[in-house]
Amino acid sequence: MTTIPLLSLITWTPFVGALLIMFTARHRPLAVRLIAAATTGISTVLSLWIYVAYDREGAGFQFYEKLPLVPALGISYELGADGISLVLVLLTSIIIFSGVFASWTVAVRSQEFYALLLTLVTGVFGVFVALDLFVFFLFYELAVLPMYLLIGIWGSTGEIRPRGIFAWAYRETGVGTKEYAAMKLTLYLLFGSAFILVGIFALYVVSGTSSFSFLDLEAATFDRGLQRWVFLAFYIGFGILAGIWPLHTWSPDGHASAPTAVSMLHAGVLMKLGAYGVVRLGMGLLPDGARDLVWLVGTIACINIVYGALSAMAQTDLKYVIAYSSVSHMGIVMLGAATLTEAGLNGSVFQMFAHGIMTGLFFALVGLVYEKAHSREIGKMGGFGRAMPGIATAFTVAGLSSLGLPATAGFVAELLTFLGSWRSAHPWWLLPAVAGTFLTAVYVLRVAKQIFWGPLSPHFHHLEDARGPEWVALVVLVAVLVVFGMVPALAIVPIDTATVGLLARILTP
C-alpha cells in the first residue's frame, strides 16, 4: 500500500500545467507545448502505475483519499478507483497525451488553447475518481464548460453548405458554423446537468445520511418509486452527454466543429462520462430503478446503433461520418450495460475504452488529412494512400476495429456485448446490434476506399505523410488498439472486479 495520493496527482497535474502555461510560458509556443506534453505525460505514467498496482484480487475502491471540505453539509474531497474507473482513467491519459501531439501545430492563441484543454482533462479525471457526488458534479462541469470556448474559438465551420427547401433556415440560424455548434453543445449539456443535479440532491435529502459520499448513499435504502424517477433523471442527464437518441443532435455538430485534440477528447472521453454516470450513479445507487428501466435503456440503445450507422452512411463530410459512427458505437456501450449480464456489462465498459481509443485515432487522422488536403469532403478526395501510407494504414486499423475485426479491441467489446444481449431478458436486442455492425462495415470500407485507394488526383500530389510529433498519436493509439485486442484480459480482468459486485447488487431482490 502506498501513501502517495496518486489519484490526486493524476487529476491535478494537468491543471498545474494549465497554470504554468498561463503564468510562465505565455507567448512562448514551444514552452507551452512542452509543458502540456510533460504534465499529461506525468498523468499517463501515474495512470500506468495505478493500473499495474491495482489489486485484482480485492474488489472495491482502491487508492482511497478523503479530506473533509464542508463537514456541516457532508461534502468531502473523496477519491477512489475501482476496475471501471481504472480503465477509464487509463483511457483519458492516453487520449490527452496523444491529443497534445496531435495539436502540435496549433498556432493561434496556443497558450489559452492548451490551458483550457488541460483544465478540461482535469475535470474528466476528477469525474472518474470522485466518490463524493458534490465534488463529482463540480468536476463534471469543469469537464464540460471549456468545450464552449475550445469549439467557439479554435473550431472550424463545415465547408458543405445546407441545401434543400430549409437551406435558408439553416443559413439564418448558422447551422454548420462553429459558433452554432459551441452554443448548441453547451445548452444541451447544461440542460442535462440540471437533471443530474436534481437527482443528486434528491438522493442527498431522502437518504437521511447528510452526506454526498457515494459509499454512504450506496448503503442507504431508497423507495422503489423514487429510484425509478431518479434513475430516469440520471439517464436523461448523463444520456445527453452519452449521445442517446433523440438527445444526441449536439454531438455530430460538436465533433465536426471542434479542433483535433478537442474532437479526440470529446468523442474519445467526454461521451464516456455520460455512460459512466449512468452505470456508476444510476445503476450503482439505484439498483431497483435500473432493473425496472433497463428495457428503455436497451431499446433506445438499439435505435442509437442503427440510426447512427445509417446516418454515417449518408454523410459527405468526413468528420460527420466519424461523429455519427460515435453515436452508433455509444449505442453499443449503453446496450451492454442494459443487458444486466456479466458479459454485457464487461463489454460495455470495454467498448468505452475501445471506442475511446478508436475514435481518438479517427479524429487525429481526420485532423491530419484536413490540415494537409484542406478538405473534409469525401467526394473530393482519393488515392491519398499513395502519398500518406502511414496515415492510410492507421485509418485502416481504426476502421477494422470500428467494424469489429478480430485481434482489435473493437472485436472483443462488441462480442461481449452481443453475448450479453443474447443472454439478457430481451434477446431480440441482438438483431439491431448485429445489423449496426454490418452497416458500420459498409460505410467504413466505403470511406477508406474513396479516400485512400485508387489514383491520386493531380491536385493532391503535394500531400505528405505524418511527420515528427504527428506520429506519436498514431503509433500510440494503433498500438493500444492492437495490444488490447490481442490480450483483452488486460482490460477485462480489472473491469470484472467491479462489474460482478455491481450486478450482484442489481440482480439481488
Side-chain angles (χ1 to χ4, degrees):
M1 177 177 289
T2 175
T3 57
I4 302 173
L6 290 170
L7 297 182
S8 288
L9 289 174
I10 292 171
T11 301
W12 292 105
T13 299
F15 190 73
V16 172
L19 295 178
L20 289 174
I21 286 171
M22 292 306 296
F23 294 108
T24 66
R26 289 180 67 87
H27 311 300
R28 287 183 286 177
L30 181 60
V32 167
R33 296 182 187 114
L34 292 176
I35 290 173
T39 51
T40 56
I42 291 171
S43 287
T44 304
V45 171
L46 293 175
S47 299
L48 289 169
W49 182 350
I50 66 167
Y51 173 78
V52 173
Y54 183 78
D55 180 5
R56 285 153 176 77
E57 300 298 325
F61 293 96
Q62 301 179 25
F63 313 105
Y64 186 76
E65 303 172 29
K66 186 171 184 178
L67 177 67
L69 292 180
V70 187
L73 297 177
I75 300 173
S76 300
Y77 176 78
E78 186 179 17
L79 308 182
D82 65 355
I84 299 174
S85 304
L86 184 77
V87 171
L88 295 178
V89 166
L90 183 63
L91 165 69
T92 305
S93 63
I94 293 171
I95 291 293
I96 184 58
F97 183 66
S98 304
V100 167
F101 288 95
S103 304
W104 205 257
T105 55
V106 171
V108 178
R109 302 172 65 178
S110 60
Q111 64 272 29
E112 288 96 334
F113 174 83
Y114 278 107
L116 284 170
L117 194 67
L118 297 180
T119 302
L120 182 156
V121 83
T122 299
V124 176
F125 278 130
V127 168
F128 287 141
V129 298
L131 289 179
D132 183 285
L133 300 198
F134 191 87
V135 175
F136 174 97
F137 187 76
L138 294 181
F139 277 127
Y140 183 86
E141 292 301 307
L142 188 64
V144 168
L145 293 179
M147 295 296 293
Y148 177 77
L149 295 174
L150 285 166
I151 295 176
I153 297 175
W154 291 276
S156 60
T157 296
E159 59 185 292
I160 301 173
R161 307 308 305 168
R163 290 173 290 187
I165 59 174
F166 296 112
W168 64 271
Y170 291 152
R171 283 192 292 271
E172 289 297 319
T173 54
V175 173
T177 65
K178 60 182 181 181
E179 293 83 5
Y180 169 84
M183 182 59 72
K184 185 178 182 180
L185 176 148
T186 305
L187 292 178
Y188 261 79
L189 298 189
L190 287 178
F191 179 70
S193 297
F195 280 87
I196 297 169
L197 194 58
V198 168
I200 289 174
F201 274 109
L203 296 182
Y204 174 77
V205 171
V206 175
S207 69
T209 62
S210 299
S211 169
F212 283 95
S213 170
F214 177 88
L215 300 176
D216 291 342
L217 294 173
E218 190 180 37
T221 302
F222 299 106
D223 176 74
R224 193 181 191 101
L226 176 79
Q227 289 200 34
R228 291 177 187 156
W229 283 109
V230 176
F231 180 84
L232 195 60
F234 282 153
Y235 176 60
I236 295 174
F238 289 117
I240 290 176
L241 186 53
I244 62 169
W245 181 89
L247 303 173
H248 68 284
T249 62
W250 63 270
S251 167
D253 289 328
H255 290 163
S257 300
T260 297
V262 179
S263 294
M264 293 171 68
L265 270 173
H266 199 198
V269 178
L270 252 72
M271 293 182 83
K272 311 306 175 292
L273 293 187
Y276 176 80
V278 173
V279 173
R280 173 67 75 213
L281 270 60
M283 300 176 76
L285 295 178
L286 308 159
D288 293 336
R291 192 167 61 247
D292 290 347
L293 292 174
V294 287
W295 64 269
L296 176 67
V297 177
T299 302
I300 291 180
C302 290
I303 297 174
N304 259 68
I305 293 170
V306 177
Y307 167 83
L310 289 173
S311 299
M313 290 177 68
Q315 302 305 310
T316 56
D317 183 313
L318 182 56
K319 260 197 165 182
Y320 271 96
V321 174
I322 308 304
Y324 275 105
S325 80
S326 291
V327 173
S328 179
H329 282 97
M330 286 305 296
I332 294 176
V333 171
M334 300 304 290
L335 178 62
T339 63
L340 295 186
T341 63
E342 185 177 347
L345 196 51
N346 285 349
S348 172
V349 180
F350 202 123
Q351 177 73 349
M352 292 187 209
F353 180 82
H355 177 254
I357 298 295
M358 177 179 67
T359 202
L361 177 58
F362 265 136
F363 278 115
L365 293 165
V366 173
L368 286 175
V369 169
Y370 181 74
E371 186 178 313
K372 296 171 188 299
H374 304 294
S375 176
R376 297 189 330 225
E377 189 169 349
I378 298 169
K380 291 182 178 178
M381 297 184 273
F384 284 10
R386 295 174 182 272
M388 308 171 171
I391 291 176
T393 302
F395 193 95
T396 303
V397 173
L400 294 177
S401 180
S402 177
L403 59 88
L405 190 81
T408 61
F411 168 76
V412 181
E414 293 186 9
L415 179 64
L416 289 172
T417 302
F418 294 168
L419 284 174
S421 300
W422 181 249
R423 295 171 181 171
S424 73
H426 308 278
W428 67 269
W429 286 344
L430 182 62
L431 296 177
V434 172
T437 301
F438 173 75
L439 295 173
T440 301
V442 173
Y443 71 76
V444 165
L445 294 177
R446 180 181 70 85
V447 168
K449 175 181 178 296
Q450 173 65 39
I451 297 177
F452 295 105
W453 301 346
L456 180 63
S457 166
H459 299 293
F460 295 114
H461 275 304
H462 65 284
L463 296 183
E464 296 179 336
D465 209 351
R467 294 180 301 175
E470 295 171 346
W471 279 111
V472 174
L474 308 192
V475 171
V476 169
L477 297 177
V478 166
V480 173
L481 275 182
V482 174
V483 168
F484 278 80
M486 298 288 285
V487 192
L490 290 172
I492 292 176
V493 171
I495 292 171
D496 202 56
T497 62
T499 55
V500 170
L502 176 60
L503 278 175
R505 179 174 163 76
I506 295 172
L507 298 178
T508 302

